Amino acid sequence: MRIAFLFAAALLAGCTAAPQRPTHPSGDATSEGATAEQAVIAEAWRSSAHADDEFDSLATWPTPDGGTWLIATAKRAHQLRIFDADTGAMLRTVGAHGAMPGKFDRPNGIAVHGDLVFVVERDNHRVQVFSLPDFRPLAAFGAGELRSPYGLWVHETAPDIVEVYVTDSFMEGADHRQVPDFASLDQRVRRFRFEAHDGASPKVTALGAFGATDPQTALRIVESIAGDAAYDQLLIADEDLRHNATVHVYTLDGAYTGRAPPAGTFKAEPEGIALWSCGVDSGYWIVSDQLRPRTVFRVFDRGQLTPAGSFVGARVAATDGITLHASPTARFPAGALFAVDDDAAVVAFDLRDVVTALQLDPDCR
């Protein structure tokens, strides 16, 4: 079904409140920390704290004047925060609480493609699309399909055409902590085709949903998702500590591969996922393990997903979203990894420090 989305139709997304995401019995992070075997890498900078914002996901955008923006979703504030990626200074705020175009109701996942930014709103049950640098609203979609969306990944399949993968963590029960019937978990990830040709109104096609339904491998609680076209891999984090919190590997067509990192890899919730591409098919995956008193950033081989090391920062804790900017900036000639610090701030790591500390491929610096 092909649907051209005007914002009048998108307003339907804000009519009802979405279910609240479950709180795990142990809270949002465990009390475990780094071990002696893990490298400690000092953060290059930490932004000022915004304790009431509840930062979640991150994305970067190279500006026309040669700078780089780091864009963060602020769930509790119902806004986006834009930082200077080289310094951590906050530059501006976008949006307000509401259902009208340009407003948000608990924004969560975010992705940048070219001069477009895609933002998932859990409680407006939609994805909004904006143009950069002005954050002009262009379209909204998903209101008819999404129930409790969290994360997304955007993949270009042809000029001016991208596929958008959105995780949908709808739950059941009075407290919204109950995993739905396994048969319905084939709707944990929804796909859309977004077309934005020059001079034409954006068009969106709903491409259906997918997810394993076997009790041992079903996607129980989902948020973070990221893909790699070179290896036909889609990594989806299942955060359910009551079962087996891990990262499952699907193909880009939505077929479950049965692959995951070794059992017991994650000690808390696997949260942000970032691909570190160092060449056509070389590089690494980084996944944040949402621990206290410090987050453990686990590094895996890009193709095989075998462990390649792990590190902690000097202070960053309970990380939700991460994003990796592999292009050089004024401050980071080999790029940087950006991470949320305990919902209240954002931090940066110089990728050169990561390569050195973990003895990774020198081509990544």
Side-chain angles (χ1 to χ4, degrees):
M1 177 179 64
R2 180 176 294 279
I3 36 181
F5 281 83
L6 301 178
F7 267 104
L11 297 183
L12 296 174
C15 294
T16 58
Q20 297 300 305
R21 189 160 184 260
T23 300
H24 296 303
S26 60
D28 288 335
T30 75
S31 59
E32 298 180 40
T35 66
E37 292 77 22
Q38 286 158 348
V40 179
I41 302 174
E43 297 86 349
W45 55 252
R46 182 180 188 268
S47 74
S48 57
H50 304 265
D52 295 331
D53 282 2
E54 198 175 351
F55 291 141
D56 190 275
S57 299
L58 304 172
T60 59
W61 183 68
T63 65
D65 63 2
T68 304
W69 284 356
L70 176 65
I71 310 170
T73 56
K75 296 183 293 190
R76 190 181 302 165
H78 309 289
Q79 294 178 323
L80 306 180
R81 303 278 192 243
I82 292 83
F83 298 87
D84 184 321
D86 278 327
T87 66
M90 194 171 79
L91 303 175
R92 62 182 292 194
T93 293
V94 173
H97 192 198
M100 295 292 290
K103 295 189 176 182
F104 303 104
D105 198 348
R106 204 160 178 87
N108 202 84
I110 187 170
V112 168
H113 176 75
D115 292 339
L116 300 177
V117 57
F118 296 74
V119 182
V120 173
E121 299 172 74
R122 188 194 71 180
D123 291 355
N124 274 335
H125 322 293
R126 68 185 180 188
V127 177
Q128 279 202 80
V129 187
F130 302 85
S131 65
L132 293 169
D134 57 358
F135 288 93
R136 177 172 59 89
L138 296 178
F141 60 90
E145 296 85 11
L146 298 170
R147 285 180 272 180
S148 191
Y150 276 87
L152 82 167
W153 179 63
V154 176
H155 167 53
E156 184 176 46
T157 58
D160 301 319
I161 300 176
V162 297
E163 287 195 7
V164 184
Y165 297 74
V166 186
T167 55
D168 200 355
S169 204
F170 53 91
M171 301 294 281
E172 295 179 349
D175 57 0
H176 305 292
R177 292 168 58 92
Q178 180 181 335
V179 174
D181 181 84
F182 290 110
S184 69
L185 297 185
D186 62 355
Q187 302 170 44
R188 269 300 188 235
V189 181
R190 290 200 171 270
R191 295 170 63 194
F192 302 89
R193 180 183 298 117
F194 181 87
E195 302 181 52
H197 302 284
D198 289 343
S201 297
K203 296 181 180 180
V204 177
T205 305
L207 300 178
F210 61 87
T213 57
D214 178 85
Q216 294 304 311
T217 58
L219 297 168
R220 294 169 178 244
I221 299 178
V222 292
E223 181 171 1
S224 298
I225 182 171
D228 182 4
Y231 284 95
D232 191 22
Q233 291 186 146
L234 192 67
L235 272 61
I236 306 169
D238 186 338
E239 302 177 10
D240 194 351
L241 295 175
R242 299 167 295 188
H243 177 65
N244 179 29
T246 190
V247 173
H248 293 284
V249 182
Y250 282 69
T251 69
L252 299 189
D253 287 335
Y256 183 48
T257 68
R259 298 175 59 214
T265 294
F266 297 97
K267 309 306 179 185
E269 297 177 9
E271 284 281 353
I273 305 174
L275 175 62
W276 185 358
S277 177
C278 305
V280 175
D281 57 3
S282 62
Y284 302 94
W285 287 100
I286 300 180
V287 183
S288 58
D289 197 345
Q290 196 184 45
L291 291 156
R292 295 182 190 276
R294 286 183 289 178
T295 298
V296 176
F297 297 93
R298 304 196 183 277
V299 184
F300 303 90
D301 173 79
R302 179 177 176 180
Q304 300 302 315
L305 261 71
T306 51
S310 61
F311 68 94
V312 299
R315 63 168 295 172
V316 60
T319 294
D320 269 310
I322 64 175
T323 192
L324 193 141
H325 188 85
S327 300
T329 74
R331 174 74 179 274
F332 303 109
L337 174 72
F338 301 97
V340 172
D341 182 10
D342 208 8
D343 294 340
V346 291
V347 304
F349 293 97
D350 192 317
L351 290 181
R352 295 173 297 179
D353 295 338
V354 179
V355 170
T356 299
L358 301 186
Q359 298 182 329
L360 302 179
D361 184 349
D363 288 343
C364 288
R365 62 180 180 189

